[in-house]
C-alpha cells in the first residue's frame, strides 16, 4: 500500500489480476474430464489461461475456454498438464470492451508443466491495453482501484472492493460500510458557479470546517459533509455547462479521507 499525495488515503497496487469468464454458452450438461478442465458434449471445450497486458504494469489473467474438436478434447484430457500438449481451436467468449472475439482462431500450449494450457495466439496478445478502459467494463468488485468511466468525458476512481451498479441516473459503487453514488448533469451555456449554486440550493447548512470550495482553472470543486450515525459526504465538480455529483456514504469516520480522495479523483477528459 502507498499513500495518496492529495489526501493521505491508502492506494493499492497490484501486478496481476485474475478474472473468470465462466462456462461457455451451451456447455451445460457436458461430460467433465480432467477434473472439469475439459468439457465434452455437443461441443467440446478446453479450459485455458489468457494473459492480457494492461497499462500500469498490470497483467490481467482470464480463466477462459476454447472450443476444440472432440478428438482434441480427449487428447487434452489424457495429456493434461503435459508440456507436449498444443491445441488449436476458437475462442469461446465475448469480452467487453473488445468486439468480435467469440470464434476467433486461437492456439494454446502448456507453458508450465502441470498447469492448464495458456493461449499463445489470440487477438488480445501482443498489445498493451488501457487498464482503466478495460476494467471499467467489468461490473464486479475488483481487488485494485481503477479510474471508472462514468458518462461522456467524466471518470472517477472506483476504489478496491467496490462493486458497480448501473442506476437510471448514474452509477453506484458499494461494499459493506461504504457506498458511492455518481451522477452527471448538463445545462448548455451554464457557467460553473451558477451551476454549482443551483446544485446547492437545497443543501443543508453546515459549519465552515465541514465544507470547502476550490477553483482549479475553469473547474469548481466543492464538498460538504455531515456526521451522524452514517457519515455523508457530498461532492460537486462544476464546469461550464457540466456538473458531476459524487456522494460518499461510510460508517467509519476515518473514511473521510477516502471520500475526499474519491472527489479528488474525478477527471474530465474530452
Amino acid at each position: 500500500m502507498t499513500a495518496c499525495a492529495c489526501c493521505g488515503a491508502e492506494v493499492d497496487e497490484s501486478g496481476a489480476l485474475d478474472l473468470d469468464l465462466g462456462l461457455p454458452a451451451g456447455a451445460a450438461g457436458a461430460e467433465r474430464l480432467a477434473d472439469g478442465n475439459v468439457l465434452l458434449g455437443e461441443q467440446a471445450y478446453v479450459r485455458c489461461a489468457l494473459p492480457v497486458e494492461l497499462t500500469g504494469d498490470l497483467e490481467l489473467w482470464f480463466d477462459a475456454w476454447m472450443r476444440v474438436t472432440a478428438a482434441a478434447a480427449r487428447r487434452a484430457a489424457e495429456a493434461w498438464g503435459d508440456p507436449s500438449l498444443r491445441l488449436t481451436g476458437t475462442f469461446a467468449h465475448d469480452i467487453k470492451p473488445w468486439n468480435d472475439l467469440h470464434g476467433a482462431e486461437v492456439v494454446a500450449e502448456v507453458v508450465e508443466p502441470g498447469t492448464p494450457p495458456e493461449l499463445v495466439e489470440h487477438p488480445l496478445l501482443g498489445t498493451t491495453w488501457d487498464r482503466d478502459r478495460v476494467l471499467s467494463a467489468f461490473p464486479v468488485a475488483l481487488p485494485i482501484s481503477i479510474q471508472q468511466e462514468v458518462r461522456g468525458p467524466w471518470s472517477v476512481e472506483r476504489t478496491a472492493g467496490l462493486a458497480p451498479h448501473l442506476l437510471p441516473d448514474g452509477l453506484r459503487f458499494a461494499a459493506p460500510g461504504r457506498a458511492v453514488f455518481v451522477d452527471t448533469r448538463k445545462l448548455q451555456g451554464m457557467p460553473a458557479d451558477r451551476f454549482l449554486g443551483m446544485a446547492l440550493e437545497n443543501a443543508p447548512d453546515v459549519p465552515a470546517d465541514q465544507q470547502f470550495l476550490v477553483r482549479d482553472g475553469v473547474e469548481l470543486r466543492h464538498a460538504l459533509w455531515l456526521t451522524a450515525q452514517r457519515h455523508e459526504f457530498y461532492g460537486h465538480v462544476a464546469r461550464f455547462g457540466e456538473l458531476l455529483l459524487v456522494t460518499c456514504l461510510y460508517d467509519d469516520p476515518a473514511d473521510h479521507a477516502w471520500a475526499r480522495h474519491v472527489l479528488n479523483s474525478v477527471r474530465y477528459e474530452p
Side-chain angles (χ1 to χ4, degrees), residues 17-234:
L17 179 63
D18 297 325
L19 287 177
D20 189 347
L21 295 177
L23 292 175
E31 181 183 2
R32 295 173 176 261
L33 307 175
D35 294 326
N37 292 299
V38 176
L39 304 177
L40 189 59
E42 293 186 8
Q43 306 293 340
Y45 300 92
V46 174
R47 186 195 302 271
C48 300
L50 171 60
V52 177
E53 294 291 333
L54 303 181
T55 54
D57 294 323
L58 181 66
E59 196 170 44
L60 178 59
W61 285 81
F62 287 110
D63 184 7
W65 296 83
M66 63 183 292
R67 181 177 169 182
V68 297
T69 64
R74 294 188 183 93
R75 178 165 54 86
E78 293 173 358
W80 190 256
D82 192 296
S84 65
L85 183 60
R86 178 181 172 88
L87 300 163
T88 60
T90 58
F91 196 59
H93 303 276
D94 280 319
I95 313 176
K96 296 298 182 183
W98 298 285
N99 297 315
D100 304 322
L101 292 182
H102 188 277
E105 294 184 357
V106 295
V107 176
E109 297 177 347
V110 174
V111 177
E112 295 288 339
T115 65
E118 183 178 319
L119 288 162
V120 294
E121 294 183 24
H122 187 280
L124 298 186
L125 299 179
T127 300
T128 300
W129 304 92
D130 183 85
R131 155 197 175 122
D132 296 321
R133 179 171 182 266
V134 170
L135 295 179
S136 285
F138 290 88
V140 296
L142 300 171
I144 61 172
S145 298
I146 66 167
Q147 194 70 14
Q148 173 77 47
E149 296 176 353
V150 179
R151 187 178 294 164
W154 293 103
S155 68
V156 63
E157 183 174 304
R158 169 159 54 109
T159 49
L162 299 188
H165 305 272
L166 183 62
L167 302 176
D169 56 353
L171 281 173
R172 174 170 65 95
F173 312 138
R178 284 182 174 183
V180 180
F181 296 84
V182 183
D183 183 23
T184 59
R185 298 177 185 174
K186 283 190 175 186
L187 274 178
Q188 189 172 1
M190 179 65 68
D193 54 351
R194 288 181 58 193
F195 211 161
L196 178 60
M198 292 173 58
L200 294 175
E201 284 179 355
N202 297 314
D205 291 327
V206 297
D209 61 355
Q210 287 180 220
Q211 59 182 308
F212 66 81
L213 176 63
V214 177
R215 180 179 290 275
D216 183 9
V218 299
E219 190 174 271
L220 287 174
R221 294 197 178 216
H222 171 272
L224 63 87
W225 51 95
L226 307 175
T227 55
Q229 289 185 339
R230 186 174 179 87
H231 299 268
E232 304 173 17
F233 181 97
Y234 298 94

Side-chain angles (χ1 to χ4, degrees), residues 229-267:
Q229 289 185 339
R230 186 174 179 87
H231 299 268
E232 304 173 17
F233 181 97
Y234 298 94
H236 308 83
V237 181
R239 303 175 64 90
F240 186 78
E242 304 263 6
L243 179 74
L244 182 138
L245 301 91
V246 55
T247 302
C248 299
L249 307 178
Y250 47 97
D251 295 337
D252 186 348
D255 277 346
H256 178 75
W258 161 78
R260 295 189 68 144
H261 174 84
V262 172
L263 176 61
N264 289 334
S265 76
V266 173
R267 298 289 177 266

